[in-house]
Amino acid sequence: MPDDIFGDPLPHADRPRRKRQLTDAEQRSVEQRITDCLNHPLIYEMAERLTPPSHVGCPRRYPSLVYLLLAALMPVTGSKRSAVGALADKQWSSVRAAVRRHAGRRTAALPPPVAPTRGQYLYAEENILAPNVEALQEVFEQHSIRQAVAQGLFPPDAARNWSRPERRQLLAGDATVPKAPSKAEHDITIDTTTGEKRIHRVDPAARLYYENGEQAKRAARGTKWFFASARDDGYWRHVILAFRHVAGGPYEDEAAIAVRTFTSLKSQLSGCMGVLYDGAFRGTHRNTLARQGLLVINKQHGSASPRAYELLRYGRCRHDLWCEGGRIAERVPLDDGTSHFIPVPHHPPRAPPGLHQEPLLLPVAHPLSPRRPRLPRPRRHHHHPRRPRQGAAG
């Protein structure tokens, strides 16, 4: 989207700086973040949705809550091994104390006096957490929406300025491809020189994704995820509202999943005005969200080529207007056979009475009279039918 789509942009030096350095009171150490995870009520609410252990076979040594806590600590410590090591070092007594406060003495008495190993967590991740991921995701999204509303995001009674929406009134979305834990693509490979068979660990969910489309030729191998979030001014105001796995395909691509997720969140957030996204959105996605009353602010898709808009003729003067980069530009042919697009500035006047959308006046400079630019007739989106003259027949 051009910088001056809603008026002349401010110079870069005059723009307000939103970023500031964190103070010492706002810093959070790893130990403090681990304590925050242990005392977060969402963890214990999600643990109630897990499948209870079966009475057949060997009983579980650890309750499901312990494995869910380990999964929450991995983004803090950086890996599964470091999360298990952090609990086994000094924090295991803190875990049992937090479980006693939030889940009761009976649940706190179930864990053994030592922390679980990495192998025990891997088994629980595959047999306990993964089969219940949809139930856990539902609890997470409901809690995130309540947290966002409690922080003052998406206020239903706030003023709505469609040309200057507030940050807290917009949904933001993006997709990322975390790096696969293993670069191997096949379970078994054979050395062409020695004929030796080698066994590799392969991530079954990893595949090849292209950033900004296949034409950009920037490939990333891993598992792609879409995140929808909201934030307000200041630090520690960012709330992740939903996440989805991008499997690929005609109905499971990034843009289609983003549209479905924004539609679902719009029905639960009455104060939402629009969405912020990158160049993955095209015209069909913007139209779908616009029909639902959402303002879509995104960059133009990288593969979108310029298209002819209108040809203006004023006597011997000729102006070839094209759509390029999300705005109207004048096409100027060069000597080498290529074309150069000069952006045309616009002036949004006041809307005439009865119009629901402001027309745009595009001043096109006339080479024969540069002091008086020619203004093409604006295209109005709503026209009122002419009233019949009084006394007209019929």
Side-chain angles (χ1 to χ4, degrees):
M1 176 171 292
D3 293 337
D4 59 346
I5 191 67
F6 295 123
D8 296 334
L10 293 174
H12 186 73
D14 298 340
R15 297 181 183 181
R17 295 182 180 181
R18 298 182 179 271
K19 294 184 178 180
R20 61 178 178 85
Q21 187 175 3
L22 286 173
T23 62
D24 295 339
E26 294 172 332
Q27 298 285 350
R28 304 292 293 176
S29 62
V30 177
E31 290 76 12
Q32 290 175 335
R33 295 175 64 186
I34 292 177
T35 305
D36 294 339
C37 292
L38 297 180
N39 296 322
H40 201 301
L42 175 61
I43 303 297
Y44 303 92
E45 184 180 352
M46 296 172 65
E48 297 178 357
R49 294 294 188 93
L50 295 176
T51 305
S54 177
H55 298 285
V56 180
C58 182
R60 294 181 186 173
R61 190 178 182 186
Y62 295 88
S64 304
L65 176 60
V66 174
Y67 302 117
L68 195 59
L69 286 172
L70 280 174
L73 292 178
M74 287 176 192
V76 178
T77 59
S79 65
K80 299 177 182 177
R81 192 178 301 277
S82 59
V84 173
L87 294 185
D89 186 15
K90 299 179 180 179
Q91 295 288 345
W92 184 242
S93 59
S94 303
V95 172
R96 302 189 66 174
V99 173
R100 186 183 303 109
R101 288 193 303 268
H102 296 277
R105 294 180 178 274
R106 180 176 299 180
T107 306
L110 295 177
V114 294
T117 62
R118 181 175 177 271
Q120 290 174 330
Y121 173 78
L122 292 177
Y123 177 83
E125 184 182 41
E126 182 179 356
N127 297 274
I128 300 177
L129 301 182
N132 299 278
V133 64
E134 295 182 358
L136 299 177
Q137 180 178 352
E138 181 182 358
V139 177
F140 171 80
E141 294 180 2
Q142 294 175 358
H143 186 276
S144 299
I145 292 176
R146 294 195 303 266
Q147 179 179 346
V149 175
Q151 290 184 192
L153 303 180
F154 307 105
D157 55 347
R160 299 193 174 190
N161 188 352
W162 293 99
S163 62
R164 293 290 188 274
E166 299 182 26
R167 178 181 293 186
R168 60 176 181 170
Q169 296 175 322
L170 299 176
L171 286 168
D174 196 8
T176 182
V177 183
K179 184 179 179 181
S182 175
K183 297 182 179 180
E185 301 182 8
H186 304 281
D187 298 336
I188 300 176
T189 58
I190 300 177
D191 193 343
T192 57
T193 305
T194 62
E196 178 186 1
K197 291 185 178 181
R198 298 180 180 178
I199 301 177
H200 305 275
R201 188 182 67 171
V202 178
D203 184 7
R207 59 183 295 265
L208 194 63
Y209 295 91
Y210 292 93
E211 298 179 359
N212 297 331
E214 296 186 3
Q215 296 184 0
K217 298 301 181 183
R218 289 184 296 179
R221 188 177 183 275
T223 306
K224 195 170 189 178
W225 292 90
F226 164 78
F227 296 89
S229 61
R231 66 174 59 196
D232 200 353
D233 295 335
Y235 286 100
W236 315 118
R237 307 289 294 175
H238 188 195
V239 181
I240 297 179
L241 301 174
F243 61 93
R244 298 287 188 275
H245 175 236
V246 181
Y251 299 101
E252 295 296 333
D253 62 338
E254 176 186 343
I257 292 177
V259 170
R260 292 198 297 265
T261 306
F262 289 144
T263 303
S264 176
L265 293 175
K266 173 62 170 60
S267 60
Q268 305 178 64
L269 299 171
S270 58
C272 179
M273 291 181 57
V275 300
L276 296 170
Y277 212 70
D278 55 11
F281 272 179
R282 303 203 183 197
T284 179
H285 309 112
R286 291 192 291 262
N287 292 338
T288 302
L289 295 175
R291 292 190 186 99
Q292 302 176 18
L294 290 175
L295 175 68
V296 182
I297 304 175
N298 76 302
K299 296 181 179 180
Q300 189 69 16
H301 196 277
S303 62
S305 57
R307 299 180 60 181
Y309 178 72
E310 188 176 358
L311 180 62
L312 302 179
R313 295 180 181 271
Y314 299 104
R316 293 179 297 172
C317 185
R318 179 176 179 272
H319 300 278
D320 193 5
L321 301 182
W322 284 59
C323 296
E324 195 272 334
R327 66 176 305 158
I328 300 298
E330 184 174 0
R331 176 177 172 270
V332 178
L334 302 179
D335 296 338
D336 56 357
T338 60
S339 300
H340 178 64
F341 296 94
I342 302 177
V344 177
H346 71 274
H347 302 287
R350 290 186 177 182
L355 286 182
H356 302 283
Q357 189 171 1
E358 295 182 355
L360 295 180
L361 294 181
L362 304 176
V364 181
H366 199 296
L368 301 181
S369 57
R371 295 183 179 180
R372 299 182 60 186
R374 300 301 181 92
L375 299 177
R377 185 177 181 181
R379 294 186 174 184
R380 297 182 177 181
H381 299 270
H382 302 275
H383 293 278
H384 296 279
R386 294 184 178 179
R387 298 180 180 179
R389 297 181 180 178
Q390 296 181 358

